[in-house]
């Protein structure tokens, strides 16, 4: 169907200040949306309190307001500009909460402003924990055992009924704000109190612990004709109990069978329909018990999210841009894919490479803060790397963190342990593997270097064995690079395919980095540059978006 002609002015809400859990990805998304809507001929009114964004540049929208994102301020802007529609799904949790508040105060009804992208009832079903639970039960999607509470007394009653450990999830919050894990009655009361204070509606969901389960995310898009596509599947390397924003994540998912993935995909489609997101993207999260295969849905965000920005860059599929077009009436089959110029947006992306995202932390700025990672997000940013394998992408991403690590390097200094027994070192490493911290990925590799087996590491960390076997292969190749007398061409090529940098190899071989680079070039081992094309090279791509890889060419 063609774009809507009954609306002319569209109000777009930004996400405000950059905070943990809500950062530049919403400037990225909001700017895309404003430019698309302007190009389509709509009069765009943008409100954002943060002037240090691209979206607040004067040319991004016809009218830009750098004002506080508060109901009373937005009401004055609505009264002055008289927009026909409000688009709240591209400004993060801030914009969603603001839209709900404006509706509750009667502002939208008073000025006859229609909410597009996701209506208010859909936002409430997605964000209100109890309404979400009812919607999922209605369509037969399994959920964790849980119940809501609005005060401490109710919370304690729920805790007694479900049993410890428990997850506390406040409604209408961002980045797991106020969320916590309670292991006993003593700490539960204080944590529940914090959760109630963090929630906009003083509501918390108390649910059974899924700590140690595998976590997955699906980026889903829907149009007014009920066409639904899965843009990207994402698997968390770290298990449940760690906020997805603090977890190392991998796209596409790696450890599900095709049947398991298709069943999860079906549940995601049922979820977005049940919540009622008419158009645009949603992030839907699942947990899977690695022992039994039991799958439950955790939550969904009826908006473009941080993961949506990652999925856009990982697949080349411009989620925010297409979400904006869907919001004004287009359908997925009518929107051309910018990359192939042939396929429409209803073609689900297929990628023939691996993407790894690693969060970035700055605990050095907060010396008194605990570096242990839990259900409340602590990362201040993230890096993304693309490779032809998980091993290559992982090492590239670790280098990108700018923490002076060339890859999956060792954190153990042998000189610091020379006066201690091997048992003390093993105990130290086991504790480092058990507790989730930003350094755990390095300590897992160290545990392997010092003889701790994959099964034990899996038991301690709950990280899937598939990822651990890949890390073990990196460690084994590293060992060969140290021990082999000659750096044979086949070994050097494999090291590059595994994501080892020239500097990394040089340090392992105790050689100058320029010698490794010269040797590599003399042997004809050069990076190849491949397109990020959304369709696994099935169609020709027309995008200057490349990644480098050392995958061996045919015949090598």
């Amino acid at each position: 169907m063609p774009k809507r002609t009954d609306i002319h002015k569209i109000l777009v809400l930004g996400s405000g200040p950059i905070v943990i859990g809500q950062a530049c990805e919403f400037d990225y998304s909001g700017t895309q949306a404003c430019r698309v809507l302007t190009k389509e001929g709509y009069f765009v009114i943008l409100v954002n309190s943060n002037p240090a964004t691209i979206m607040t540049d004067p040319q991004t929208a016809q009218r830009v307001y750098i004002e506080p994102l508060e109901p009373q301020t937005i009401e004055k802007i609505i009264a002055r500009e008289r927009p026909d529609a409000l688009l709240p799904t591209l400004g993060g949790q801030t914009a969603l909460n603001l839209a709900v508040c404006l509706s509750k105060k009667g502002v939208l009804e008073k000025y006859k402003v229609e909410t597009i992208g996701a209506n208010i009832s859909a936002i409430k079903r997605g964000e209100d924990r109890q309404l979400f639970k009812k919607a999922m039960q209605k369509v037969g999607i399994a959920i964790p055992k849980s119940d809501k509470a609005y005060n401490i007394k109710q919370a304690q009653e729920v805790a007694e009924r479900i049993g410890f450990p428990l997850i506390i999830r406040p409604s209408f919050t961002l980045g797991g704000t106020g969320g916590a894990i309670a292991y006993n009655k003593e700490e539960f009361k204080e944590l529940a109190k914090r959760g109630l204070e963090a929630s906009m509606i003083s509501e918390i969901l108390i649910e059974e612990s899924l700590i140690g389960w595998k976590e997955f995310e699906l980026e889903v898009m829907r149009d007014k004709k009920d066409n639904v596509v899965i843009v990207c599947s994402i698997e968390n390397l770290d298990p449940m109990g760690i906020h997805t924003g603090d977890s190392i994540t991998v796209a596409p998912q790696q450890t599900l069978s095709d049947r398991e993935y298709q069943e999860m995909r079906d549940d995601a489609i049922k979820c977005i329909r049940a919540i009622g997101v008419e158009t645009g993207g949603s992030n839907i999260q699942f947990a899977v018990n690695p022992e039994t295969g039991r799958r439950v849905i955790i939550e969904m965000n009826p908006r473009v999210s941080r993961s949506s920005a990652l999925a856009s860059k990982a697949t080349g599929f411009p989620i925010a841009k297409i979400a904006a077009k869907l919001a004004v009436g287009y359908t997925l089959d009518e929107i051309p894919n910018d990359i192939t110029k042939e396929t429409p947006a209803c073609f689900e992306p297929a990628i023939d490479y691996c993407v790894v995202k690693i969060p970035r932390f700055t605990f050095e700025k907060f010396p008194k803060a605990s570096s242990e990672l839990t259900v409340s997000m602590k990362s201040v940013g993230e890096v993304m790397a693309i490779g032809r394998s998980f091993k290559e992408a992982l090492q590239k991403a670790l280098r990108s963190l700018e923490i002076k690590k060339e890859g999956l390097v060792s954190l153990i200094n042998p000189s610091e342990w020379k006066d201690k027994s091997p048992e003390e070192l093993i105990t130290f490493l086991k504790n480092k593997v058990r507790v989730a911290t930003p350094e755990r990925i390095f300590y897992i590799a160290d545990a392997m270097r010092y003889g701790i087996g994959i099964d034990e590491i899996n038991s301690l960390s709950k990280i899937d064995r598939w990822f651990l076997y890949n890390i073990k292969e990196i460690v084994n190749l590293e060992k060969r690079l140290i021990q082999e007398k000659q750096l044979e061409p086949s070994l050097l090529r494999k090291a590059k395919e595994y994501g080892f940098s020239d500097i990394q190899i040089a340090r392992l071989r105790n050689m100058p980095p320029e010698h490794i680079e010269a040797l590599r070039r003399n042997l004809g081992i050069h990076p190849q540059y491949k397109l990020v094309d959304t369709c696994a090279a099935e169609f020709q791509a027309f995008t200057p978006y490349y990644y480098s890889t050392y995958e061996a060419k045919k015949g090598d």
Side-chain angles (χ1 to χ4, degrees):
M1 61 180 66
K3 70 178 182 182
R4 292 179 60 175
T5 56
D6 59 327
I7 57 175
H8 306 284
K9 282 188 172 184
I10 300 175
L11 174 62
V12 176
L13 298 177
S15 60
I18 292 174
V19 295
I20 286 177
Q22 187 167 270
C24 299
E25 62 271 9
F26 294 107
D27 186 29
Y28 166 81
S29 301
T31 302
Q32 278 189 41
C34 289
R35 287 176 176 171
V36 166
L37 295 173
T38 298
K39 191 174 181 180
E40 289 293 333
Y42 295 101
F43 189 97
V44 178
I45 306 149
L46 171 69
V47 186
N48 196 13
S49 61
N50 184 359
T53 57
I54 295 171
M55 70 161 61
T56 51
D57 288 353
Q59 64 269 30
T60 303
Q62 279 70 36
R63 196 88 80 228
V64 176
Y65 287 88
I66 302 176
E67 297 287 349
L69 290 167
E70 299 170 346
Q72 58 270 28
T73 304
I74 304 302
E75 182 175 3
K76 290 177 182 177
I77 293 170
I78 289 174
R80 179 180 178 180
E81 295 289 347
R82 295 301 179 100
D84 303 301
L86 167 66
L87 182 57
T89 54
L90 295 157
Q93 195 67 45
T94 299
L96 280 193
N97 290 354
L98 194 51
V100 171
C101 191
L102 290 168
S103 174
K104 190 175 181 181
K105 289 177 175 291
V107 174
L108 302 183
E109 184 180 3
K110 178 181 178 181
Y111 294 99
K112 296 180 172 55
V113 180
E114 177 187 353
T115 306
I116 58 176
N119 58 42
I120 298 299
S121 59
I123 295 171
K124 287 180 177 179
R125 280 192 294 272
E127 296 293 329
D128 185 298
R129 300 290 182 180
Q130 192 65 12
L131 292 177
F132 178 73
K133 177 181 175 181
K134 288 180 180 178
M136 295 304 97
Q137 289 174 326
K138 190 174 181 179
V139 294
I141 300 177
I143 56 174
K145 297 174 187 174
S146 62
D147 208 345
K148 64 180 179 180
Y150 293 96
N151 54 54
I152 294 298
K153 184 180 178 182
Q154 289 177 352
Q156 290 174 322
E157 291 172 355
V158 173
E160 289 289 336
R161 190 162 63 250
I162 297 177
F164 293 95
L166 292 166
I167 306 292
I168 299 167
R169 298 185 185 276
S171 296
F172 289 93
T173 61
L174 172 77
T177 302
I181 306 169
Y183 293 92
N184 52 58
K185 292 180 182 179
E186 289 71 29
E187 62 184 7
F188 176 79
K189 185 175 180 181
E190 178 60 30
L191 294 173
K193 181 182 176 183
R194 289 185 202 168
L196 289 165
E197 290 171 352
S199 172
M200 184 178 78
I201 58 173
S202 297
E203 177 187 276
I204 57 174
L205 186 75
I206 303 162
E207 68 181 24
E208 66 173 307
S209 171
L210 305 177
I211 293 172
W213 288 33
K214 300 197 293 185
E215 185 171 1
F216 299 87
E217 301 174 65
L218 296 182
E219 291 299 322
V220 188
M221 295 203 81
R222 185 186 185 209
D223 66 20
K224 282 187 175 291
K225 284 185 178 177
D226 198 26
N227 297 310
V228 183
V229 296
I230 309 299
V231 176
C232 186
S233 65
I234 302 172
E235 178 167 1
N236 287 24
L237 180 145
D238 295 296
M240 288 289 295
I242 302 167
H243 191 279
T244 183
D246 285 351
S247 177
I248 296 173
T249 61
V250 184
Q253 66 81 20
Q254 302 290 320
T255 69
L256 293 175
S257 67
D258 182 61
R259 180 172 181 174
E260 289 174 312
Y261 172 66
Q262 294 301 332
E263 289 174 350
M264 183 181 291
R265 184 183 180 282
D266 291 344
D267 277 354
I269 293 171
K270 283 195 286 186
C271 172
I272 196 170
R273 287 172 175 162
I275 296 301
V277 176
E278 291 183 336
T279 68
S282 293
N283 172 260
I284 303 176
Q285 299 171 22
F286 294 90
V288 175
N289 187 320
E291 304 300 327
T292 65
R294 178 190 168 203
R295 181 181 68 257
V296 297
I297 193 165
I298 308 166
E299 65 179 4
M300 76 97 73
N301 294 306
R303 57 175 170 82
V304 170
S305 65
R306 184 186 60 259
S307 294
S308 302
L310 171 70
S312 290
K313 292 170 184 174
T315 62
F317 189 99
I319 291 176
K321 177 180 179 179
I322 292 174
K325 286 199 169 193
L326 296 178
V328 294
Y330 287 107
T331 54
L332 287 164
D333 56 303
E334 295 173 331
I335 302 172
N337 185 316
D338 290 343
I339 290 177
T340 64
K341 306 294 185 185
E342 291 184 42
T343 59
C346 58
F347 274 52
E348 290 192 351
I351 59 178
D352 54 1
Y353 46 80
C354 184
V355 180
V356 172
K357 176 219 83 178
I358 303 181
R360 178 72 158 84
F361 300 87
T362 54
F363 286 112
E364 65 274 9
K365 296 179 181 178
F366 309 98
K368 293 184 180 180
S370 169
S371 62
E372 183 176 347
L373 307 179
T374 61
V375 294
S376 186
M377 187 173 161
K378 296 179 179 180
S379 68
V380 298
E382 59 195 30
V383 299
M384 184 191 92
I386 303 177
R388 295 293 278 183
S389 68
F390 167 72
K391 291 185 280 289
E392 182 183 28
L394 175 66
Q395 295 229 78
K396 288 172 72 174
L398 289 170
R399 284 197 294 278
S400 302
L401 286 169
E402 296 182 351
I403 55 173
K404 299 180 181 178
K405 302 287 189 297
E406 302 94 24
L408 198 58
V409 300
S410 176
L411 298 186
I412 299 298
N413 185 347
S415 63
E416 295 176 358
W417 290 89
K418 63 182 180 181
D419 297 328
K420 299 179 181 178
S421 68
E423 290 75 19
E424 287 179 290
L425 175 56
I426 295 300
T427 300
F428 170 81
L429 287 172
K430 285 181 180 180
N431 287 333
K432 289 295 186 180
V433 168
R434 180 184 295 110
V435 180
T437 64
E439 293 81 27
R440 178 160 73 168
I441 189 72
F442 298 102
Y443 283 117
I444 286 172
D446 274 328
M448 294 175 178
R449 291 181 182 105
Y450 287 90
I452 301 176
I454 284 177
D455 287 343
E456 188 165 7
I457 294 173
N458 168 258
S459 177
L460 291 167
S461 67
K462 303 304 179 185
I463 293 174
D464 192 272
R465 288 178 178 84
W466 186 90
F467 296 112
L468 297 179
Y469 277 115
N470 273 269
I471 293 170
K472 179 66 173 174
E473 289 179 349
I474 294 173
V475 170
N476 288 344
L477 190 66
E478 176 189 272
K479 188 175 181 180
R480 286 185 61 195
L481 288 166
I482 295 170
Q483 294 179 346
E484 294 280 347
K485 290 183 179 180
Q486 295 292 327
L487 186 56
E488 298 292 337
S490 60
L491 179 58
L492 180 56
R493 177 175 288 281
K494 185 170 283 292
K496 298 305 292 184
E497 290 175 3
Y498 277 30
F500 284 85
S501 67
D502 290 349
I503 294 174
Q504 197 176 355
I505 296 169
R507 289 193 179 178
L508 294 171
R509 298 290 298 179
N510 196 25
M511 295 170 63
E514 54 268 23
H515 286 195
I516 296 295
E517 182 182 0
L519 175 61
R520 176 174 60 76
R521 291 182 182 279
N522 288 337
L523 292 171
I525 302 174
H526 303 292
Q528 302 175 52
Y529 294 90
K530 295 181 179 287
L531 282 164
V532 174
D533 64 3
T534 80
C535 59
E538 185 178 354
F539 297 91
Q540 183 180 356
F542 298 88
T543 174
Y545 188 3
Y546 293 85
Y547 67 96
S548 66
T549 179
Y550 280 87
E551 180 187 47
K553 296 179 182 177
K554 290 181 181 179
D556 283 356

